[in-house]
Amino acid sequence: MSDKYIPINCHLYDQLEEFAVKKSKVQITYLDNYEEKIIEDIIIDFRTKNKEEYLILSNKQEIRLDKVLKIHTI
């Protein structure tokens, strides 16, 4: 199975940026090695490496944007 990066839609990216600007605490459901995980934290930045986009949390964890399944404020 390929793990090729798939760009996310603009609406989701705008929503992520809004959460970061407002410093909103969010609950993120995402895939990590094909396992669904949930984390609560604040998005502090975004980064692109090797043509893949990541969000960076206040705990320094990076999550690839196309691995985000659900996100909402808490």
Side-chain angles (χ1 to χ4, degrees):
M1 181 175 219
S2 174
D3 197 32
K4 182 179 177 186
Y5 180 75
I6 301 168
I8 65 171
N9 72 49
C10 294
H11 177 73
L12 177 57
Y13 193 87
D14 290 345
Q15 185 180 30
L16 295 172
E17 281 187 320
E18 181 179 339
F19 291 149
V21 168
K22 292 182 176 179
K23 298 183 181 357
S24 301
K25 188 166 187 181
V26 293
Q27 182 179 73
I28 303 169
T29 305
Y30 66 100
L31 289 177
D32 182 24
N33 293 320
Y34 305 103
E35 182 180 336
E36 196 170 298
K37 295 189 177 183
I38 298 173
I39 190 167
E40 294 178 358
D41 208 336
I42 297 170
I43 301 168
I44 60 165
D45 205 358
F46 298 90
R47 172 186 321 229
T48 302
K49 41 183 195 183
N50 301 322
K51 299 182 182 177
E52 299 173 345
E53 297 176 291
Y54 294 81
L55 59 81
I56 302 169
L57 302 173
S58 67
N59 70 0
K60 307 298 185 225
Q61 181 177 348
E62 297 183 8
I63 300 174
R64 203 169 87 177
L65 295 187
D66 65 337
K67 299 298 182 182
V68 174
L69 302 174
K70 293 186 271 186
I71 185 166
H72 61 86
T73 58
I74 52 175

